[in-house]
Amino acid sequence: ANAPPRPVAVGREAADELNAYDASPVAVAAAMAATRRTARFSEEEANAADARAALIDLIPGCDETTFGWLLAVDYFDARRAHGVETPELDEALEATARRHLAWRYAAWAEDAAVAALVALPLVRALRDRVADAEMADAVLCAHDVTILGLWRALGGGRGDDARWAPGFGCRLDVARDAGGGGDDDADR
């Protein structure tokens, strides 16, 4: 038998409890800046300096003040979406841009302060919904980096290896354990 359809409620953007970047922009920016000041982050940025310079030259309208690694990846995605071929040299830059952007996200997610700030709103929302029998199977939408923060906080992934990061369109399923009535049911 098919289960009856569940109602769908779309939250207001102003009440977005999942996007920590918007909910606590000052705290998240400060934690991310602290990560950028580490020796490892500085070393990785220095290693990517030549690619950064080449991307600034390649991307129309881009300069030192407007460049960002996400902008670089978006540039290649837009070309692909519009059917514009990418020369072989640009393909190497695209791979470098994607790899470096993934490394940056992983580095932030590895930082306990950033992971906590990013994951906490999602953890609270999951806890509240799992505790409510009517909302236990609610669908929540969050940024991939929010889910990455939660995943890393739960011990997922393997260091800064970008292959272990959830994809852009990832899905995280959380279910309440029905439990067997044991003493530890409250901990599930």
Side-chain angles (χ1 to χ4, degrees):
N2 291 333
R6 295 203 173 249
V8 174
V10 178
R12 296 184 332 266
E13 186 175 328
D16 181 4
E17 74 251 9
L18 302 182
N19 185 358
Y21 295 98
D22 290 341
S24 306
V26 174
V28 172
M32 291 173 79
T35 301
R36 282 194 299 272
R37 288 190 297 269
T38 63
R40 175 87 193 279
F41 205 97
S42 296
E43 180 182 330
E44 289 292 332
E45 290 294 289
N47 291 340
D50 289 343
R52 184 181 194 279
L55 288 161
I56 289 171
D57 288 342
L58 175 70
I59 300 171
C62 187
D63 60 33
E64 287 290 331
T65 60
T66 61
F67 178 81
W69 291 98
L70 182 58
L71 171 77
V73 169
D74 285 348
Y75 167 77
F76 291 109
D77 288 344
R79 289 178 62 90
R80 188 168 288 108
H82 292 283
V84 178
E85 289 188 32
T86 302
E88 188 174 324
L89 176 62
D90 294 357
E91 287 178 8
L93 281 174
E94 176 183 6
T96 299
R98 288 185 187 283
R99 194 170 38 253
H100 190 69
L101 179 63
W103 181 87
R104 288 168 61 99
Y105 282 141
W108 285 318
E110 288 292 319
D111 183 276
V114 176
L117 283 167
V118 172
L120 187 59
L122 180 56
V123 170
R124 285 182 178 147
L126 290 170
R127 179 198 60 208
D128 294 347
R129 282 164 176 80
V130 169
D132 180 350
E134 293 297 314
M135 294 297 292
D137 59 351
V139 175
L140 304 174
C141 295
H143 292 280
D144 52 331
V145 292
T146 302
I147 293 172
L148 176 61
L150 173 62
W151 190 50
R152 296 291 184 153
L154 294 173
R158 294 186 179 174
D160 61 6
D161 187 343
R163 295 174 299 167
W164 293 96
F168 180 77
C170 63
R171 183 177 101 187
L172 173 68
D173 292 319
V174 178
R176 183 176 40 203
D177 186 340
D183 292 336
D184 65 339
D185 279 352
D187 297 330
R188 293 178 187 215

